Amino acid sequence: MTWLELAEGVHARRYEHLDQTLGLVVGAERCLVIDTGGDEVQGAEFAAEVREITPLPWTVVITHAHFDHHFGNAAFLPCPIWAHERCRDALVRDGETDREAWVRRFHDEGQPVLAERLAAARLVLPDHLLTDRARLDLGGRTVELVHPGPAHTDHDVAVHVPDAGILFAGDLVEQGAPPSIGPDAHPRGWPPALDRLLALDPGTIVPGHGDPVGPEFVAAQRDELSRS
């Protein structure tokens, strides 16, 4: 686990498990936490790590409904939790099924501790929903929550920090592994979704898994998805 400082007040937290990357954007009055991890233990660890950087009140945004991005939510309560409106629907419909599948997988892989942690985590739904875009004022810094269209899921949300030229892309972008095209993915919509993110002109893109990359990496991944 390590912090990467990408710009003043903009940080990525890297985890060896699942090669995961969580995010933090700090303003003058509040901070924004981007995804919370895969269980309450990881969520509590991440919350404590955020507190090493800032004491400001936090808001959480969930990039999409897959288990490793939201089952740490309870560790940050009470706070506003943002997501796309269809993310909430997906969590209500599939959250427990997703949990059960990964609990079985962790047991099968000989990781009973991770299985027990995930089984015990509370499913906390977002209470602030967006359809297309939302702007959050952190005090002296505004971030944009952007839904670029169906891609990795039908409810992906990216977090744009315009004053720093940084974009947190969730699993719309992966570094170190090919993009994950699951049963809820929309492969045809994925390349144009990445085009919409590139049109924001970020200098640094933070994937949901892997190290931060530049726009040329995202363009290459878009081209690969177009050919698949």
Side-chain angles (χ1 to χ4, degrees):
M1 299 180 292
T2 184
W3 280 112
L4 303 176
E5 185 172 10
L6 307 175
E8 184 176 357
V10 185
H11 308 264
R13 186 70 174 176
R14 296 282 286 114
Y15 291 85
E16 182 178 359
H17 178 59
L18 299 177
D19 199 21
Q20 190 172 31
T21 309
L22 308 180
L24 174 67
V25 183
V26 182
E29 299 174 5
R30 57 193 64 87
C31 66
L32 180 66
V33 172
I34 303 162
D35 289 335
T36 60
D39 58 55
E40 287 187 44
V41 174
Q42 184 185 11
E45 290 172 349
F46 185 40
E49 290 152 1
V50 169
R51 282 291 172 248
E52 293 176 359
I53 291 178
T54 177
L56 292 172
W58 50 45
T59 293
V60 166
V61 59
I62 302 305
T63 59
H64 63 291
H66 294 164
F67 90 97
D68 49 324
H69 296 264
H70 70 86
F71 263 112
N73 284 358
F76 290 85
L77 295 176
C79 73
I81 301 178
W82 279 86
H84 191 273
E85 59 190 4
R86 286 193 295 271
C87 179
R88 190 183 193 282
D89 295 340
L91 289 171
V92 171
R93 183 183 64 246
D94 302 325
E96 292 299 339
T97 302
D98 192 28
R99 180 216 300 269
E100 291 167 5
W102 275 91
V103 167
R104 288 194 301 271
R105 178 169 172 174
F106 286 144
H107 274 302
D108 291 344
E109 293 175 348
Q111 301 185 80
V113 173
L114 288 178
E116 291 167 7
R117 283 167 40 170
L118 178 55
R122 288 167 285 175
L123 176 61
V124 178
L125 300 177
D127 56 2
H128 287 62
L129 306 178
L130 66 119
T131 300
D132 181 43
R133 291 177 181 247
R135 294 168 64 88
L136 303 183
D137 180 7
L138 303 182
R141 163 173 273 166
T142 298
V143 299
E144 299 173 338
L145 310 184
V146 180
H147 170 59
H152 179 64
T153 68
D154 69 354
H155 55 265
D156 300 294
V157 171
V159 180
H160 185 212
V161 190
D163 69 300
I166 295 171
L167 180 80
F168 290 85
D171 287 2
L172 289 161
V173 176
E174 291 205 32
Q175 183 273 334
S180 176
I181 303 176
D184 55 349
H186 296 257
R188 291 185 179 180
W190 207 325
L194 292 179
D195 280 333
R196 294 183 189 105
L197 295 185
L198 289 169
L200 298 172
D201 196 29
T204 301
I205 298 96
V206 184
H209 302 269
D211 288 321
V213 298
E216 66 287 345
F217 179 95
V218 176
Q221 199 157 88
R222 173 204 60 202
D223 293 344
E224 291 175 9
L225 286 161
S226 297
R227 293 189 293 267
S228 63

